[in-house]
Amino acid sequence: MNQQVFRTLAPGATLGMLGAGQLGRMFALAARAAGYRIAVYGGGPESPCGQVSDLCFDRSFDDQQSLREFAAAVDVVSYEYENIPLSAVEYLESLVPVLPDSRLLKISQHRLLEKRSLQQIGIPTAAFTEIRNADDLRRGLQEFGGQGILKTATLGYDGKGQLRIGGEIDAEQVLEGFAGVELILEEIVPFQLELSVLAAGFAGGQTRHFTPAVNHHVNHILDCSRTPDERLSPSIVAEAGAIATQILEHFGVIGVFCVEFFLTDSGRLLVNEIAPRPHNSGHLTIEACAASQFEQQYRAICGLPAGAVTAARPAVMLNLLGDHLVHATPDRWREVFAMTDVHVHLYGKLELRAGRKMGHLTALADDVDAAERIARAARKALGWAGE
Ligand code: AMP
């Protein structure tokens, strides 16, 4: 790793962000509060991150001249989504520190590599097999009791690029829909719930992780995160934290990353995937914790000490998709802002679209169920009839 990363970057330094969405925006807002400057790559001044950045490079990831200009303008680089072309990150890495470095990024971009790398270090995942042809698919399905989830190895998110198979299929026909892409078949994990741990590694070997969040998805998109959650026993909480720390130490991560888990019906923890960046399930740390996932991110990449991960109060985050905001009139917003335990985040996206993450609400209360009730009442107050 580039030793320059251990240099402390004091406020006033310019932090580069690859990707211009909401995660970059919340990072920029946190870092700017401490006096850092932000240069964003991959979006213009109207993008969620560009709106709150000092410099925008609205350029392509395969334009090396632009990447060189960006590297010259920043002191360190981080990123907000894992599907940034690896070649761009590796090129930047030769010019300026990029954190987390490309080792963890590379495996998180490829489901097969990710699962193999985790199993090599003894971390359990769902059973899986590589699918190169129809025979592989038939064999894999037979091995997993006639059902499974077929996923593209790369570029999948929020359930995109996935097909749940249960029952008789024509393997050749199924694969026609995925022509030319690498595929993985996973067993269908019978799980009680899904949880995630946000962890951070710092120069000099400090590590931190937040209390796990229990996550509920609707239509494959995260809807609700709760922490702490009484359905997680102390031993599961400890095990999830230990697995995140093991990954962190194995890959020498400096920066923030998220580990998503299944808690199976039989009580086992399996890692589903790793995201080498802050995560939607960690947004509630902004209000709930002494230093949020975004503060940990700028602290880590600037060579600063870890912030405290202690939570002041139980918290629940509900996403605000385009669907939730169709009826949000000023009077309805007024009602939500009158709920003083509710915190509103909107990402500055100009166009409301169904399924698009427009923002989120975080509610704090003395217990997590009360926080969820308050958050749901707030989303309902916005005119969303689905609560
Ligand atoms: P992913 O893109 O892998 O995070 O998958 C999106 C969602 O699909 C997960 O959050 C789970 O709810 C579900 N899912 C993915 N893989 C599996 C699996 N092997 N078994 C059961 N459910 C899964």
Side-chain angles (χ1 to χ4, degrees):
M1 180 184 316
N2 191 328
Q3 289 304 310
Q4 274 177 294
V5 298
F6 293 106
R7 182 163 71 104
T8 300
L9 297 174
T14 303
L15 315 183
M17 174 49 61
L18 303 178
Q22 61 265 21
L23 293 167
R25 176 188 179 92
M26 287 181 270
F27 165 81
L29 290 170
R32 282 185 130 194
Y36 290 96
R37 288 167 48 79
I38 306 295
V40 61
Y41 195 100
E46 77 299 335
S47 64
C49 185
Q51 291 167 14
V52 296
S53 293
D54 298 271
L55 287 171
C56 293
F57 289 73
D58 192 3
R59 317 269 182 89
S60 145
F61 284 106
D62 45 42
D63 172 358
Q64 288 205 342
Q65 170 62 29
S66 291
L67 290 170
R68 276 198 300 279
E69 286 171 33
F70 179 67
V74 300
D75 295 293
V76 66
V77 172
S78 194
Y79 41 90
E80 59 126 42
Y81 72 108
E82 57 276 25
N83 291 326
I84 308 267
L86 193 64
S87 55
V89 174
E90 286 174 343
Y91 182 62
L92 275 173
E93 230 167 17
S94 70
L95 304 170
V96 63
V98 180
L99 296 169
D101 70 32
S102 56
R103 287 173 296 177
L104 188 62
L105 178 67
K106 187 174 174 184
I107 77 148
S108 69
Q109 289 188 344
H110 198 287
R111 290 184 194 275
L112 278 162
L113 195 58
E114 183 176 55
K115 287 203 164 52
R116 285 185 185 132
S117 308
L118 289 169
Q119 291 200 345
Q120 267 165 17
I121 58 171
I123 293 178
T125 69
F128 67 95
T129 183
E130 183 175 1
I131 303 297
R132 282 154 305 197
N133 52 47
D135 281 340
D136 286 349
L137 182 55
R138 281 187 283 267
R139 215 174 352 223
L141 286 169
Q142 203 171 15
E143 192 184 326
F144 301 148
Q147 53 176 16
I149 301 189
L150 187 64
K151 300 182 179 180
T152 58
T154 58
L155 297 177
Y157 69 99
D158 285 348
K160 294 186 173 60
Q162 293 191 16
L163 181 69
R164 192 176 267 255
I165 303 174
E168 283 300 300
I169 52 144
D170 177 339
E172 274 83 7
Q173 203 181 358
V174 166
L175 292 185
E176 267 171 31
F178 290 96
V181 292
E182 289 179 89
L183 293 170
I184 176 174
L185 182 74
E186 294 179 18
E187 66 167 342
I188 296 181
V189 176
F191 61 80
Q192 307 171 33
L193 49 79
E194 296 183 78
L195 60 144
S196 56
V197 172
L198 265 305
F202 299 82
Q206 269 186 311
T207 67
R208 292 288 182 277
H209 60 82
F210 292 95
T211 302
V214 169
N215 302 321
H216 178 68
H217 299 81
V218 174
N219 298 330
H220 296 287
I221 302 175
L222 182 66
D223 184 58
C224 176
S225 293
R226 295 163 41 105
T227 179
D229 193 300
E230 69 290 344
R231 289 171 293 176
L232 301 179
S233 67
S235 69
I236 289 293
V237 169
E239 192 185 335
I243 289 175
T245 306
Q246 188 188 347
I247 293 170
L248 194 160
E249 286 173 349
H250 179 78
F251 290 99
V253 181
I254 295 186
V256 170
F257 69 103
C258 179
V259 188
E260 293 180 71
F261 299 89
F262 299 122
L263 178 60
T264 68
D265 284 349
S266 60
R268 289 184 72 211
L269 268 183
L270 304 179
V271 171
N272 177 28
E273 59 184 359
I274 300 172
R277 52 165 173 84
H279 190 261
N280 197 163
S281 61
H283 292 353
L284 47 71
T285 61
I286 296 174
E287 283 86 16
C289 298
S292 72
Q293 59 172 350
F294 301 105
E295 178 168 343
Q296 306 292 359
Q297 187 181 18
Y298 80 69
R299 282 173 174 263
I301 70 170
C302 291
L304 297 170
V309 289
T310 41
R313 296 176 82 192
V316 168
M317 188 267 345
L318 288 182
N319 266 337
L320 294 175
L321 304 184
D323 322 50
H324 299 121
L325 297 181
V326 174
H327 304 294
T329 57
D331 280 348
R332 287 183 157 141
W333 278 117
R334 202 185 154 74
E335 205 179 317
V336 170
F337 279 95
M339 302 168 80
T340 51
D341 284 324
V342 174
H343 302 270
V344 174
H345 295 261
L346 288 170
Y347 307 144
K349 295 185 184 176
L350 305 178
E351 197 192 331
L352 203 71
R353 279 202 304 268
R356 188 178 199 200
K357 291 179 183 172
M358 305 301 295
H360 69 270
L361 300 172
T362 298
L364 303 179
D366 293 336
D367 74 79
V368 73
D369 292 327
E372 184 166 346
R373 278 195 299 277
I374 294 168
R376 290 196 182 280
R379 199 162 64 173
K380 190 172 179 188
L382 286 172
W384 168 244
E387 294 304 343

